[in-house]
Amino acid sequence: MNARRFAQQIALAAAPALLAGCVDSQSVLNPQSGEAHDLARLFWIFTTVCSLVWVLVVAALLTLLLRRRRPDSTPETDNLEQQSRKTAVVAGLVALTAVILVLFTLGSFYTTRGLIAPGPHPLLIKVTGAQWWWQVEYEDSDPTQVFSTANEIHIPVGRPVTFDLEATDVIHSFWAPNLMGKQDLIPGHRNSLTLTADKPGEYRGQCAEFCGLQHSHMAFLVVAQTPAEFWAWRQAQLKPAAPPASGQQALGQHLFVEGSCATCHTISGAGAGGKTGPDLTHFGSRSTIAAGLMANTPSNLAAWIKDPQELKPGVNMPQVPLSDHDRGAIVAYLEALK
């Protein structure tokens, strides 16, 4: 492996640290929604009961190992009362185990059922998993209020959010540990998941079902905002892409729209309407590139456009031959799309 490739692999290994600014941003032990609190409570109940059972079993085992049988005592000489008492203890423990398992099952069932129960007047978001990124579509009965983004999900605090989950290729799993439990995305089948964030914050999510070569590089970011902040963000997302503000950006727009980029990507208002890859209308406002692989900086974007296969082998984005000058113009244009 050459030095350049080695340095890139080190950078990719450190990719989760890009979102280190999130407080406990990927931990089930830091629940930040009502649904996550329910799951955490169930986890601690299971852990406590199982730990207690383990302690009792170990104590019983040690007692049996340390207790010495009287020299003149044999199974035949044990009286019937002792045998009966032992049988009753064993039967009681078996019954207690069965009761615990039934209670565990019921608790798990009702807690899980609560994760898909829609709340009043929920925000509807359709999330589609693909190798290896997330398409996010904000649904509305008014078609003019529908828009798409990718890999970064903004939600309002205190309002139920229902996610409709689908996949285009293989099974994926949608999981932001601070906010919700795991839910699979299955091709040809729609699942749903509901959550209500407790307070503003940024929370890292991840595909939790092995889905191919770049499974570990399929992250997303959930940004919980106050209702006013979310409304402002949503209104900004509904607007078309900002026009170029410089000659370099104008060249970048021309190269993007007239070249192969527009066959896969959409930029609203710029004449690019591809549907294969992520919508880039407001790409410059996102935190990361390639589903959490790298921070969204001009240098990282230039490296990604130059050779996506070297940074994320197997990804569907092809290598597009461009001069450094033309690549720099496209980077300037995309980074200006706030």
Side-chain angles (χ1 to χ4, degrees):
M1 182 182 295
N2 59 40
R4 178 169 174 265
R5 178 67 173 167
F6 179 75
Q8 288 173 340
Q9 291 301 318
I10 293 297
L12 295 184
L18 294 172
L19 301 178
C22 309
V23 178
D24 295 329
S25 64
Q26 195 171 358
S27 172
V28 295
L29 301 181
N30 180 33
Q32 296 297 327
S33 73
E35 293 74 15
H37 281 291
D38 290 342
L39 289 173
R41 186 181 305 112
L42 189 66
F43 167 80
W44 286 117
I45 291 174
F46 275 35
T47 301
T48 301
V49 173
C50 289
S51 298
L52 180 60
V53 170
W54 181 84
V55 169
L56 292 176
V57 169
V58 171
L61 178 61
L62 291 176
T63 300
L64 291 174
L65 291 175
L66 296 176
R67 190 179 68 179
R68 297 190 178 187
R69 180 182 293 273
R70 298 190 311 273
D72 59 341
S73 176
T74 65
E76 289 76 12
T77 60
D78 287 341
N79 59 51
L80 293 177
E81 183 180 350
Q82 289 175 324
Q83 294 286 352
S84 177
R85 185 165 56 250
K86 292 177 181 178
T87 302
V89 170
V90 171
L93 292 176
V94 171
L96 179 59
T97 300
V99 170
I100 291 175
L101 290 177
V102 170
L103 292 177
F104 276 6
T105 302
L106 291 175
S108 179
F109 171 76
Y110 285 107
T111 300
T112 303
R113 190 174 69 169
L115 300 180
I116 62 175
H121 309 294
L123 172 68
L124 301 178
I125 302 177
K126 180 181 177 182
V127 177
T128 304
Q131 293 175 311
W132 290 275
W133 62 285
W134 307 89
Q135 177 178 313
V136 183
E137 183 175 341
Y138 287 76
E139 301 179 320
D140 197 278
S141 57
D142 181 356
T144 64
Q145 299 299 304
V146 175
F147 65 92
S148 294
T149 182
N151 304 320
E152 192 167 301
I153 306 169
H154 290 242
I155 62 174
V157 170
R159 180 180 177 184
V161 179
T162 295
F163 294 97
D164 289 328
L165 306 174
E166 295 183 347
T168 61
D169 37 43
V170 300
I171 296 176
H172 301 278
S173 185
F174 188 68
W175 188 36
N178 300 79
L179 299 173
M180 56 193 165
K182 302 173 185 176
Q183 185 63 276
D184 283 349
L185 296 81
I186 303 173
H189 178 77
R190 176 174 289 195
N191 284 333
S192 64
L193 190 69
T194 299
L195 67 90
T196 305
D198 291 340
K199 63 181 182 180
E202 296 183 347
Y203 308 102
R204 189 178 190 272
Q206 179 72 40
C207 178
E209 178 79 23
F210 181 72
C211 56
L213 180 62
Q214 296 298 325
H215 161 68
S216 61
H217 294 146
M218 189 175 171
F220 60 91
L221 185 66
V222 179
V223 182
Q225 301 172 295
T226 65
E229 291 173 337
F230 172 77
W231 179 256
W233 175 85
R234 178 167 186 154
Q235 293 305 111
Q237 294 293 308
L238 287 168
K239 296 178 181 178
S246 68
Q248 185 187 35
Q249 292 178 17
L251 174 62
Q253 183 188 54
H254 173 76
L255 293 169
F256 189 99
V257 174
E258 299 301 325
S260 58
C261 301
T263 62
C264 294
H265 297 285
T266 292
I267 296 182
S268 177
K275 300 297 184 182
T276 304
D279 188 308
L280 303 180
T281 303
H282 298 285
F283 170 81
S285 64
R286 297 173 194 165
S287 301
T288 65
I289 297 170
L293 183 67
M294 301 175 292
N296 188 0
T297 66
S299 60
N300 284 340
L301 179 57
W304 172 250
I305 294 174
K306 183 176 182 179
D307 194 351
Q309 294 301 322
E310 183 156 9
L311 295 172
K312 199 169 184 177
V315 72
N316 288 330
M317 181 171 170
Q319 183 178 7
V320 180
L322 291 167
S323 67
D324 290 342
H325 178 266
D326 289 351
R327 189 181 306 110
I330 292 178
V331 168
Y333 172 60
L334 292 178
E335 290 291 350
L337 299 178
K338 302 296 185 179

